[in-house]
Amino acid sequence: NMNINNNHVVVMAGGIGSRFWPMSTSENPKQFIDVLGCGKTLLQLTVDRFRGICPPENLWIVTSRRYADIVKEQLPEIAEDHILLEPCRRNTAPCIAYVSWKIKKLNPKANIVVTPSDHIVMDVPEFVRVINSTLKFTADSDAIVTLGMKTTRPETGYGYIEADLSMACPSNHEIYRVDAFKEKPDLETARRYIQRKNYFWNAGIFIWNVSTVINALRVYQPGIAEVFERMMPYYFTDQEQQMVDELFPTCESISIDYAVMEKAEEIYVFPASFGWSDLGTWGSLHENSRRDSHDNVCIGNDIKVYETRNCVIHTTQEKKVVVQGLDGYIVAEKDNTLLICRLSEEQRIREFSED
């Protein structure tokens, strides 16, 4: 039986992914940007889609200390003590441990969803249905559940989950055991994966109750567990940040996937389809945005295109932009930096942009 007041949502917003250069940079990474030109940043869209899943006071944001102001500015409704500030980058396991112990102090019966802050979801009602169904499953079981996205193409940018589809869980017929987690594959391997019906993209969304995640961390990452156990008396006090600044840097830098997922026994997957993308590249933005009849994505105030196709034009700070005769290009402008390059070459821009 699921009590919605026990549901908590943790949004991990500390990433520095600046792949949408020049729109996003390490000072202003993509989660804080209105990438889709819809009037809301990816972080705000992420928080929005959990509105029906937990009470607003059960939302948590974990981010880097350097982004404290921008998070408070974009999410003024979230209480200060629900915005956790990491003093340094230590990957996702310490980040998840910190918030899990803090939630445990507040509510030992908590049931938790952990999500990235910079992904998009097209079908929000289906997303909400899947998350609620999974929370019901984890409320009184020791299960760790990941969401597996049904594949649509041989994508090399995502990790994969291999599921055992031979038998569904008795208490939820949409949930199956995980056989293995697979690293990002090369194209050949990706093609092989998607021909098989039991391989799904790993969306990096995890559901578990607080005692399950804490027990798993105690068993598989005793060093990390000990740090946050030691801090138990300080959560929600004036000394919390000082203790975090002191102890957090002593944690090993390790992802939750390596730290727990690949080791634990009771791991399950909910294969789902709700128009998910991690929007990792200009190409994925092109694929996931509204296109005109010539397959152009135009995000900006007044953009006119002529004899132009398959382009992404992202010029939100310009009054007027006119493009003629381009095919398969990115045109992107931000803060006195202009990028014009072939969509197919975006990997190489990263090297240029660092100079």
Side-chain angles (χ1 to χ4, degrees):
N1 61 356
M2 189 171 87
N3 173 355
I4 187 165
N5 292 315
N6 288 335
N7 290 351
H8 288 254
V9 171
V10 172
V11 180
M12 295 186 290
I16 53 169
S18 56
R19 288 178 288 185
F20 280 110
W21 186 85
M23 174 174 58
S24 67
T25 60
S26 54
E27 278 68 59
N28 198 19
K30 66 175 173 166
Q31 62 268 32
F32 304 122
I33 292 175
D34 176 4
V35 174
L36 300 174
C38 65
K40 289 190 166 171
T41 67
L42 293 178
L43 173 62
Q44 290 168 327
L45 289 170
T46 298
V47 166
D48 276 357
R49 64 176 164 264
F50 284 99
R51 292 211 187 279
I53 290 168
C54 77
E57 64 274 15
N58 289 6
L59 268 160
W60 304 80
I61 311 292
V62 190
T63 190
S64 154
R65 196 214 232 115
R66 65 199 280 202
Y67 304 139
D69 293 340
I70 197 167
V71 169
K72 286 169 195 168
E73 185 189 314
Q74 292 194 5
L75 301 171
E77 70 277 17
I78 293 189
E80 191 112 358
D81 62 5
H82 279 231
I83 300 173
L84 281 55
L85 303 179
E86 305 174 330
C88 56
R89 291 176 60 72
R90 284 292 179 271
N91 215 320
T92 50
C95 147
I96 289 168
Y98 176 17
V99 70
S100 300
W101 260 268
K102 192 166 172 174
I103 290 173
K104 183 191 180 203
K105 182 162 185 175
L106 198 64
N107 178 3
K109 290 195 165 65
N111 205 7
I112 303 173
V113 185
V114 177
T115 176
S117 59
D118 54 1
H119 294 181
I120 59 165
V121 163
M122 294 304 189
D123 185 348
V124 173
E126 173 62 3
F127 174 81
V128 170
R129 184 192 75 80
V130 168
I131 297 284
N132 278 329
S133 169
T134 312
L135 281 165
K136 212 179 203 148
F137 179 77
T138 58
D140 29 39
S141 80
D142 306 329
I144 290 174
V145 184
T146 70
L147 296 191
M149 300 296 101
K150 293 177 182 169
T151 60
T152 57
R153 59 182 187 276
E155 175 60 61
T156 57
Y158 300 150
Y160 287 70
I161 296 166
E162 182 188 356
D164 173 5
L165 299 181
S166 63
M167 203 179 80
C169 292
S171 63
N172 186 324
H173 295 305
E174 294 183 273
I175 294 178
Y176 303 85
R177 274 189 176 274
V178 169
D179 273 345
F181 289 95
K182 304 288 191 184
E183 298 286 314
K184 294 177 183 177
D186 59 27
L187 191 57
E188 207 36 57
T189 311
R191 285 200 180 112
R192 210 168 62 240
Y193 287 169
I194 69 162
Q195 279 165 358
R196 306 178 56 177
K197 290 288 163 258
N198 65 323
Y199 278 76
F200 304 95
W201 291 328
N202 186 350
I205 299 170
F206 309 114
I207 300 101
W208 45 44
N209 66 52
V210 73
S211 52
T212 298
V213 64
I214 280 179
N215 290 337
L217 285 159
R218 282 178 178 151
V219 170
Y220 300 110
Q221 298 300 324
I224 292 174
E226 188 189 22
V227 168
F228 297 102
E229 196 66 56
R230 253 177 79 190
M231 282 178 44
M232 213 41 165
Y234 300 100
Y235 299 129
F236 303 102
T237 71
D238 295 343
Q239 295 111 297
E240 176 178 344
Q241 193 62 51
Q242 187 194 331
M243 294 301 291
V244 170
D245 291 350
E246 205 174 296
L247 293 176
F248 194 91
T250 67
C251 291
E252 184 190 347
S253 179
I254 184 173
S255 74
I256 195 73
D257 302 73
Y258 279 129
V260 172
M261 297 295 159
E262 299 188 5
K263 298 183 169 72
E265 299 294 315
E266 296 286 302
I267 303 264
Y268 298 87
V269 60
F270 190 129
S273 188
F274 39 67
W276 171 87
S277 167
D278 86 337
L279 275 196
T281 59
W282 285 109
S284 67
L285 176 62
H286 183 257
E287 211 164 282
N288 288 284
S289 301
R290 206 169 272 132
R291 295 188 286 275
D292 67 16
S293 55
H294 296 291
D295 280 329
N296 299 307
V297 172
C298 297
I299 298 173
N301 307 312
D302 181 4
I303 301 173
K304 300 262 194 293
V305 292
Y306 304 95
E307 295 145 38
T308 289
R309 53 182 59 246
N310 305 314
C311 287
V312 183
I313 301 162
H314 199 291
T315 49
T316 50
Q317 293 171 332
E318 291 298 339
K319 281 193 183 143
K320 186 167 189 169
V321 173
V322 180
V323 173
Q324 183 273 332
L326 290 186
D327 184 352
Y329 272 77
I330 304 162
V331 177
E333 181 273 346
K334 180 92 195 281
D335 296 343
N336 304 322
T337 300
L338 172 66
L339 166 71
I340 301 173
C341 88
R342 286 200 188 98
L343 255 172
S344 59
E345 295 285 333
E346 74 169 298
Q347 300 303 99
R348 286 176 57 205
I349 316 168
R350 295 184 200 169
E351 296 143 37
F352 304 148
S353 65
E354 261 122 57
D355 295 348

